[in-house]
């Protein structure tokens, strides 16, 4: 029995020591989560954010970085200020897909497992607009054209 427990603990220690790998960029899921009201984090700089952003997104100040890129502590600290549940769904996007993947990896290593990676801003923005344009035309069609006809205000003449 002791050997089994030791082997289990050793395997768990080895698995726990493996670096967390970032997931994939899933723009379609990000669009769905945004439409469902998920928290959206914009990981771009101030000027990019000011030039345009996803509606209701929060900009994360990455100036707390240590010079090597995204600061794990700065990003995780700021996320802890607004997200209490590490399993809550949070959509992230950045200026490039690579930066979004690095941020996702950072957050996963810090215990945030509800991250949905929207990739770069331009692709996510375009996907949000495309999603609106993909509404079937039958939703807007009026086969009997009754709504287009004006309602008579006087009694008909006999």
């Amino acid at each position: 029995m002791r050997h089994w427990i030791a082997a289990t603990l050793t395997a768990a220690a080895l698995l726990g020591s493996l670096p967390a790998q970032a997931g994939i960029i899933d723009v379609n899921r990000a669009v769905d989560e945004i439409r469902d009201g998920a928290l959206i984090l914009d990981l771009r700089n101030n000027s990019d954010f000011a030039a345009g952003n996803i509606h209701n997104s929060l900009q994360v100040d990455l100036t707390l970085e240590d010079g090597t890129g995204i600061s794990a502590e700065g990003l995780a600290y700021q996320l802890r200020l607004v997200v209490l549940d590490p399993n809550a769904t949070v959509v992230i996007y950045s200026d490039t897909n690579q930066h979004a993947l690095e941020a996702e990896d950072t957050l996963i290593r810090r215990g945030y497992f509800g991250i949905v990676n929207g990739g770069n801003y331009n692709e996510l923005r375009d996907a949000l607009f495309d999603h609106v344009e993909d509404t079937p035309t039958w939703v807007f069609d009026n086969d009997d054209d009754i709504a287009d006809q004006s309602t008579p205000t006087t009694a008909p003449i006999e």
Side-chain angles (χ1 to χ4, degrees):
M1 181 69 165
R2 279 190 161 157
H3 295 295
W4 176 252
I5 293 172
T8 303
L9 292 175
T10 303
L14 287 174
L15 289 175
S17 66
L18 294 176
Q21 293 297 319
I24 60 170
I25 293 172
D26 192 346
V27 176
N28 291 327
R29 181 168 175 223
V31 167
D32 290 341
E33 296 295 346
I34 289 169
R35 296 205 180 277
D36 287 342
L39 176 67
I40 312 162
L41 297 182
D42 185 319
L43 306 177
R44 300 173 303 146
N45 64 38
N46 292 338
S47 61
D48 287 345
F49 183 80
N53 55 71
I54 304 298
H55 183 66
N56 289 332
S57 62
L58 300 174
Q59 184 195 19
V60 175
D61 183 6
L62 294 180
T63 58
L64 299 176
E65 63 188 57
D66 57 8
T68 61
I70 295 171
S71 165
E73 289 307 316
L75 183 57
Y77 170 76
Q78 290 183 60
L79 190 55
R80 276 193 300 273
L81 293 177
V82 292
V83 178
L84 300 177
D85 180 6
N87 294 313
T89 301
V90 177
V91 175
I92 63 169
Y93 67 93
S94 191
D95 55 341
T96 66
N97 288 343
Q98 184 60 39
H99 288 156
L101 287 168
E102 290 170 5
E104 179 185 14
D105 188 43
T106 296
L107 291 171
I108 288 171
R109 280 186 279 134
R110 294 297 186 258
Y112 291 95
F113 299 108
I115 303 301
V116 176
N117 195 333
N120 71 68
Y121 167 71
N122 292 325
E123 289 178 12
L124 182 57
R125 181 202 60 213
D126 292 347
L128 283 164
F129 284 116
D130 288 346
H131 193 72
V132 170
E133 292 172 2
D134 287 343
T135 304
T137 56
W138 62 264
V139 170
F140 304 110
D141 287 345
N142 188 352
D143 294 336
D144 57 10
D145 293 327
I146 292 174
D148 295 335
Q149 299 173 4
S150 62
T151 305
T153 57
T154 61
I157 302 173
E158 294 184 26

